[in-house]
Amino acid sequence: MSMLRVVGLSAGYGPVSVLQGIDLEVGEGEFVVMLGANGAGKTTTMRAISGLISRQGLVEVAGDDITKWSPDHIVRAGVAQVPQGRGTFPELSVEDNMLAGAYVRHGGHDVRDDMHKWFEVFPRLGERRHQRAGSLSGGEQQMLAIARALMSRPKLLLCDEPSLGLAPLITQELFGVLERLNRDEGLSVLLVEQNANLAMHIASRVYLLETGNIVASGTSAELSADDSIRKAYLGF
Amino acid sequence: MKSLFTIREGGAANWTLRVITMVAIVGLMLYIPTKWEAGTLNTAIEGLTYMSAAMALNLVLGYTGQISIGHSAFLGIGAYTTGIMVSRWGFSPWVTFPVAFGIAFVIGVLISFPAARIKGVYLALVTLALGLVFPQLATWKKLAWITGGGSGLPIACPATGVSRSCEGTEVPTTGFNIGPKSKGQMQTFEIFGWNPFGDLRRPDNKAAFYYWIALVVAIIVYLACRGVVKSRVGRSLIAIRDNETAAAVMGVNLVRTKAFVFGLSAGLCALPGCVTAIKTGGVSPEGIINMTVRGAITFLIVMVIGGAGSLAGPVIGGALYVFVVDKTGTWADDDKIPGVLRPFFAWSEIPPGDGIFAVLLILLMFVAPRGIAGLWKQYIHRIVRVIPRPAGAIGATPAMATATATPTSNHEGEPQ
Amino acid sequence: MDFSLLLQRVIDGISQGSVYALIALGLVIIYRGTGHLNFAQGEMALFATYCVYQFGEWGIPVWIALFMGMGVGFVVGAVSEVTLIRPISKKSPFAVFIVTLGLFTFLNWLDGAIWGNQQLPNSGVGSKQQSFPDLFPADPEDQFNFLGASIRYERIGILLLVLVITGLLFLLFNKTKFGLAMRAVASNTESAKLAGIRTNLVLMVSWGLAAAIGAVGGVVMGGLNNSVGLGLMFSIFIYGSAAATLGGFDSPGGAVVGGLAIGLIENLSSGYAQKWIGQELKLAVALAIIVAVLLVKPSGLFGTEKVERV
Ligand SMILES: Nc1ncnc2c1ncn2[C@@H]1O[C@H](COP(=O)(O)OP(=O)(O)O)[C@@H](O)[C@H]1O
Ligand SMILES: [Mg+2]
């Protein structure tokens, strides 16, 4: 059974249709990357999966049809998203950000334990736990956004261009964390990227999105072996 | 969308339609004072007042998107200008109109500068503050030497000198002195020997006379708004409302344009104030409710229901408002409610006018954010479609070229 | 300078200001959640205040009536949000403003339609109560001397009540999960949704809460005036929004400080500048100060600078 199965998903904004019926799948414990140029519809895909915008087609999480579910139900079903840009609550302290991330969970002690666990994974967040999230650096905010998403104990993590605006070194660090989470905790990940080079290394499979359609998919090796795809989309 | 008839702009059919509309409107306006008695005429005057004030308000709100809940203050400035000039200094009321316009214009321009800096919620609140403070200032003890303080100014008194009290004098009937030198009240209004209104001491004649003044003021305000909207300034206004940055790029001087429009709006709003002062025969916030915030809110309601951002909107809104308020004004008394409607309104202790308009206002925001005029524009296409003249044919001035450069400026910014 | 007079004016000012603070708090709660100014805030409170008068007519003790009135306020606020504000906010901020203005007019008319346009209680229309129910002892002799100033129990009671409400709100915001959700929605609605927070529920409750708090303000004002009338809440709304403006529209603490400050300014300026300013202009003074603050610091004293949504 796959973690996420999307069949014929279309979505858009009012009269503007962006996704023209896409299919994709993320297996349990898989690390999948979606690549595509600016404006291809990657963010729209993520928002549609999380139920932030209205959508047609089928979205299944661990076998449940969640197409008609509201965003909070989808979070409860085990899907967490790190949205594009700064997905934090800038006016709230780092700790409150983390606690808000655990909003769907019950029980105080567990939540606190989890928070300390993630503060160990992201030590800089732990040091700044009482600071306002808005006062963190870009990289720290992105880490906070990921940690916040993890606080809901998701089975599937959707990550929308976490590298945006970060220095290459920080991006590498971030991807390292994601890779470890995937390997050690068995977390399924769907990562959206523009920067093909970096993402291809950690992906088990890759989808290529162009103007609302999946134009190619396969393992990293398969796609980089295909010359035409490599030249046209991957840029290396 | 199919329409029943298609006609060309500027063609014979279009002109026929225009002439018919004009004749109908002018005919109605001429007919009203000949047939109606004082009570109804006073309602009509009130309607014209709301139309004028809402048209003035429409310039800032409908065309620049700045919210103002303070326009009652400008109406008040007009009323007090007339009151003070006539009763204190013995000026002719005619003279007070341009003076009131000028004063309100200057104040409007001054206010526009902070207004341009303050946005959204805060601007609404600051203009609301203006509307609230005006009546307080006007009745302030320290200004009583000129405004008459809490009791206001009677302008129906013989204007023989500064601050002469009216008490003890016989209250004259016209409330209107013509010319600084005239002693006592004007009893007839003659134009080159023609006396259209007869003896102005008769209430019906007096009301007809005031009706004409209110009508001329409303027409002047309409023409001024029309002039602005159709001009280069108007085009830039619409551009500003729709996209401030784009307008700035187009070379529209934001600050100066907004200042001019705010000033003009304030000045025009003062004119119905002058009319109200003359009609009321006295000036005080209690006597002229429209110079309090209540008035400002009514202007807003009238404008939005009629249609913000359209020339005809305030006219429609004003007419509808006084019609409904007048017809339902006595409905606090259950016996006065027409039979079928009685079960719906009998429970109410007060007339239902405000309730009806509140519900209408909310409903319209959902179905037709551009008011009745917007609805009209939307549905008239089903019946008659006017094909615009091809761009660049006749009179393609640089202003029009600018207009076409903004993608959103066609259709006067109708909702998408 | 007469110290006891100063003390008395300060206490009167603070207790008056605490009512403004209540309205301001309601405005801030709504503004933080949605970015809208609820023009009908005062009128929602007025409707609830009329209800409290009605409960009093039915013989319900004032404190119970107060809680019932808060309940009425909550329902009015929550229903308005769900049926009107939420759908219209998809259109434009201007539309939201006009709808709250329509609500303002409608509620005021509704009060008049139900209860008439005279001051209540009024034996002429058959009121059983002598005066509007008082939350605290408010007879002329209910006062004590403190450092030469005679201080009314009512004033102290109101101040304490407002402090308790503010304290409870503070606990709600900062110590409860729902408060966390409210702050999260105010900070970033989209991320709040992604954290599984039911933002619609939060907004509905926010509007309800704001109107319930306003209801307390209305009942307090009714008690101070000894009656309720159609114009009771309008000036309070103005002072309340002035307080919110002064404090910064997104800061609950600022709202309280702003409310108290305006109460003080109002009482001290009209008291000490009696000759010059006097009663008529005290509102003008308060508003002038606020306009000045806005021109120097467009986001208020404690507000955070951010892009305007209206
Ligand atoms: N809120 C919106 N309203 C209308 N169109 C939008 C909105 N957000 C994105 N779009 C459009 O949808 C398309 C896809 O955008 P997006 O999903 O953000 O692309 P990506 O994340 O791949 O860069 C773009 O053409 C964009 O202009
Ligand atoms: Mg994107």
Side-chain angles (χ1 to χ4, degrees):
Chain A
M1 190 179 57
S2 55
M3 199 63 237
L4 173 74
R5 199 164 74 94
V6 171
V7 183
L9 177 71
S10 4
Y13 304 90
V16 190
S17 106
V18 176
L19 301 181
Q20 338 276 354
I22 62 166
D23 302 339
L24 63 89
E25 209 167 329
V26 180
E28 228 176 309
E30 215 182 359
F31 198 118
V32 176
V33 168
M34 179 188 274
L35 296 172
N38 218 340
K42 307 178 299 290
T43 299
T44 308
T45 309
M46 299 297 239
R47 291 164 55 91
I49 295 172
S50 281
L52 292 177
I53 52 177
S54 66
R55 54 212 185 279
Q56 285 86 47
L58 175 75
V59 184
E60 253 181 36
V61 169
D64 291 326
D65 178 0
I66 63 155
T67 318
K68 299 219 156 47
W69 292 16
S70 60
D72 64 294
H73 273 117
I74 294 175
V75 176
R76 275 171 232 269
V79 180
Q81 188 187 141
V82 180
Q84 186 174 331
R86 308 263 175 266
T88 54
F89 304 110
E91 284 87 15
L92 271 55
S93 68
V94 168
E95 238 183 60
D96 280 347
N97 266 272
M98 301 288 280
L99 294 176
Y103 186 78
V104 294
R105 290 172 52 189
H106 304 282
H109 285 302
D110 277 14
V111 170
R112 294 256 158 205
D113 290 347
D114 268 22
M115 184 159 75
H116 292 128
K117 174 176 136 196
W118 296 124
F119 281 160
E120 273 158 34
V121 177
F122 304 99
R124 261 173 302 170
L125 295 182
E127 289 159 25
R128 290 162 175 70
R129 56 166 62 186
H130 298 298
Q131 233 165 289
R132 269 166 35 117
S135 67
L136 303 184
S137 73
E140 288 162 352
Q141 288 203 36
Q142 201 55 259
M143 300 200 180
L144 177 58
I146 292 173
R148 195 219 74 218
L150 294 170
M151 285 298 289
S152 68
R153 289 208 173 160
K155 293 179 277 188
L156 170 66
L157 185 70
L158 308 174
C159 246
D160 195 350
E161 285 198 52
S163 65
L164 199 73
L166 299 188
L169 223 62
I170 310 229
T171 307
Q172 263 174 19
E173 188 185 335
L174 216 62
F175 280 12
V177 172
L178 288 177
E179 201 177 0
R180 276 204 305 280
L181 284 169
N182 172 253
R183 181 167 19 96
D184 304 342
E185 315 251 336
L187 181 71
S188 314
V189 179
L190 175 58
L191 173 71
V192 156
E193 263 303 323
Q194 262 190 73
N195 180 341
N197 216 339
L198 261 169
M200 298 277 276
H201 289 298
I202 45 175
S204 38
R205 266 178 333 104
V206 178
Y207 287 97
L208 256 174
L209 192 68
E210 193 190 51
T211 55
N213 289 297
I214 303 271
V215 289
S217 64
T219 62
S220 308
E222 280 166 13
L223 287 194
S224 26
D226 187 326
D227 262 3
S228 58
I229 288 180
R230 217 181 57 201
K231 289 219 181 71
Y233 300 105
L234 307 182
F236 58 85
Chain B
M1 215 191 328
K2 278 266 165 61
S3 44
L4 284 174
F5 306 100
T6 311
I7 56 180
R8 219 168 318 119
E9 182 179 352
N14 187 210
W15 273 108
T16 316
L17 272 182
R18 283 189 194 173
V19 168
I20 291 175
T21 319
M22 282 308 287
V23 167
I25 292 174
V26 172
L28 182 70
M29 285 171 173
L30 292 176
Y31 174 80
I32 285 173
T34 61
K35 289 293 172 232
W36 292 0
E37 85 303 1
T40 326
L41 275 177
N42 282 330
T43 310
I45 295 170
E46 214 166 289
L48 289 166
T49 305
Y50 284 124
M51 287 177 195
S52 309
M55 280 191 274
L57 177 62
N58 196 12
L59 273 186
V60 284
L61 209 150
Y63 291 102
T64 67
Q66 290 178 304
I67 294 173
S68 166
I69 328 178
H71 262 55
S72 52
F74 300 124
L75 188 136
I77 288 170
Y80 268 98
T81 304
T82 299
I84 290 166
M85 286 181 70
V86 171
S87 79
R88 294 245 185 249
W89 300 325
F91 277 96
S92 156
W94 303 123
V95 181
T96 66
F97 281 85
V99 175
F101 176 87
I103 294 175
F105 182 89
V106 171
I107 295 177
V109 166
L110 291 181
I111 288 175
S112 82
F113 294 116
R117 237 176 89 76
I118 300 169
K119 291 231 164 68
V121 172
Y122 294 108
L123 180 59
L125 286 172
V126 169
T127 55
L128 178 64
L130 174 72
L132 281 165
V133 167
F134 178 79
Q136 296 203 338
L137 265 182
T139 52
W140 191 24
K141 284 197 292 285
K142 298 274 162 183
L143 290 178
W145 61 274
I146 185 155
T147 64
S151 47
L153 280 174
I155 64 170
C157 296
T160 48
V162 174
S163 115
R164 160 143 175 209
S165 161
C166 255
E167 270 173 63
T169 57
E170 187 188 328
V171 177
T173 46
T174 65
F176 205 98
N177 297 287
I178 189 130
K181 286 173 208 77
S182 78
K183 301 271 193 318
Q185 290 304 295
M186 188 173 70
Q187 299 179 358
T188 56
F189 176 73
E190 291 176 23
I191 311 168
F192 304 119
W194 176 42
N195 179 5
F197 302 105
D199 187 349
L200 290 181
R201 282 171 299 188
R202 285 198 47 225
D204 288 359
N205 294 350
K206 190 174 68 170
F209 177 46
Y210 292 165
Y211 167 83
W212 276 100
I213 298 173
L215 181 62
V216 169
V217 162
I219 291 173
I220 289 172
V221 174
Y222 178 84
L223 291 178
C225 291
R226 195 186 142 85
V228 169
V229 170
K230 303 274 180 198
S231 73
R232 193 185 151 76
V233 176
R235 297 295 178 189
S236 13
L237 274 185
I238 293 166
I240 290 174
R241 181 192 62 194
D242 293 340
N243 189 337
E244 212 159 275
T245 324
V249 172
M250 276 165 53
V252 176
N253 185 329
L254 287 181
V255 175
R256 213 189 310 154
T257 310
K258 280 187 172 180
F260 171 72
V261 171
F262 213 107
L264 187 64
S265 167
L268 293 177
C269 201
L271 298 182
C274 305
V275 178
T276 315
I278 292 168
K279 173 187 164 243
T280 316
V283 184
S284 72
E286 266 140 58
I288 303 180
I289 193 88
N290 282 339
M291 65 167 85
T292 66
V293 170
R294 236 194 108 75
I297 293 176
T298 311
F299 306 157
L300 260 173
I301 293 178
V302 163
M303 187 203 72
V304 173
I305 285 184
S310 83
L311 281 167
V315 178
I316 301 171
L320 185 70
Y321 185 81
V322 291
F323 178 77
V324 172
V325 167
D326 185 50
K327 286 287 167 231
T328 61
T330 55
W331 286 14
D333 181 357
D334 294 352
D335 298 333
K336 298 268 168 56
I337 308 175
V340 268
L341 294 175
R342 201 169 298 157
F344 299 104
F345 293 106
W347 60 277
S348 170
E349 300 270 324
I350 55 174
D354 282 342
I356 292 174
F357 273 93
V359 172
L360 192 60
L361 186 68
I362 294 174
L363 274 182
L364 272 181
M365 282 328 280
F366 279 91
V367 298
R370 296 236 160 246
I372 296 171
L375 271 181
W376 169 262
K377 269 186 203 153
Q378 208 173 329
Y379 286 102
I380 190 66
H381 287 306
R382 298 263 169 93
I383 304 167
V384 182
R385 164 162 297 177
V386 181
I387 301 178
R389 244 175 296 202
I394 315 160
T397 59
M400 288 180 69
T402 328
T404 28
T406 32
T408 38
S409 63
N410 48 347
H411 288 296
E412 288 184 23
E414 270 179 293
Q416 296 86 359
Chain C
M1 192 155 55
D2 183 349
F3 175 74
S4 59
L5 187 62
L6 173 68
L7 185 67
Q8 187 155 341
R9 283 188 177 140
V10 166
I11 288 180
D12 285 358
I14 287 180
S15 99
Q16 186 78 19
S18 64
V19 182
Y20 307 152
L22 285 181
I23 296 291
L25 268 173
L27 289 171
V28 166
I29 289 174
I30 287 177
Y31 184 82
R32 276 160 52 97
T34 56
H36 301 311
L37 169 68
N38 178 15
F39 203 77
Q41 174 81 2
E43 299 308 309
M44 290 178 174
L46 183 63
F47 180 76
T49 308
Y50 268 105
C51 288
V52 169
Y53 155 80
Q54 191 64 54
F55 299 146
E57 285 295 293
W58 295 336
I60 298 171
V62 57
W63 281 93
I64 297 175
L66 173 70
F67 281 107
M68 290 167 65
M70 289 173 75
V72 170
F74 188 93
V75 171
V76 172
V79 168
S80 307
E81 198 277 324
V82 173
T83 58
L84 298 176
I85 307 300
R86 190 178 306 167
I88 203 71
S89 56
K90 292 192 186 81
K91 296 212 163 167
S92 71
F94 175 69
V96 175
F97 169 75
I98 293 296
V99 166
T100 61
L101 190 71
L103 256 177
F104 166 90
T105 314
F106 178 77
L107 287 171
N108 197 276
W109 168 80
L110 185 68
D111 295 334
I114 298 174
W115 287 286
N117 52 14
Q118 67 284 72
Q119 296 284 318
L120 293 175
N122 183 339
S123 53
V125 295
S127 299
K128 294 195 197 80
Q129 299 166 95
Q130 292 300 311
S131 77
F132 192 88
D134 283 309
L135 292 166
F136 303 100
D139 288 333
E141 68 276 11
D142 288 328
Q143 57 182 36
F144 63 95
N145 268 324
F146 179 70
L147 300 178
S150 54
I151 292 161
R152 300 179 53 71
Y153 292 136
E154 193 182 18
R155 296 280 178 186
I156 301 296
I158 291 168
L159 187 57
L160 287 179
L161 178 65
V162 172
L163 286 179
V164 167
I165 290 177
T166 312
L168 287 176
L169 277 179
F170 182 83
L171 290 180
L172 172 73
F173 282 149
N174 293 308
K175 301 287 168 202
T176 69
K177 206 166 156 178
F178 194 79
L180 179 64
M182 287 176 82
R183 284 184 293 139
V185 171
S187 172
N188 184 341
T189 311
E190 179 122 338
S191 285
K193 278 185 189 159
L194 289 174
I197 294 168
R198 290 170 62 189
T199 51
N200 284 346
L201 179 78
V202 169
L203 293 184
M204 185 190 87
V205 172
S206 301
W207 279 70
L209 197 61
I213 298 168
V216 179
V219 174
V220 167
M221 277 318 291
L224 286 175
N225 280 10
N226 295 321
S227 68
V228 55
L230 291 178
L232 180 72
M233 291 312 281
F234 187 66
S235 57
I236 307 300
F237 165 73
I238 300 301
Y239 282 113
S241 44
T245 309
L246 187 61
F249 245 93
D250 55 0
S251 155
V256 174
V257 175
L260 298 182
I262 285 180
L264 273 177
I265 293 169
E266 184 195 349
N267 268 272
L268 293 181
S269 68
S270 69
Y272 283 106
Q274 186 68 260
K275 282 229 192 68
W276 226 89
I277 297 173
Q279 289 298 315
E280 307 101 318
L281 271 203
K282 57 184 189 177
L283 179 64
V285 171
L287 293 175
I289 290 174
I290 284 144
V291 173
V293 168
L294 275 187
L295 287 178
V296 180
K297 201 165 177 303
S299 56
L301 289 181
F302 302 95
T304 44
E305 307 262 351
K306 68 174 167 191
V307 185
E308 268 297 332
R309 277 183 277 182
V310 164

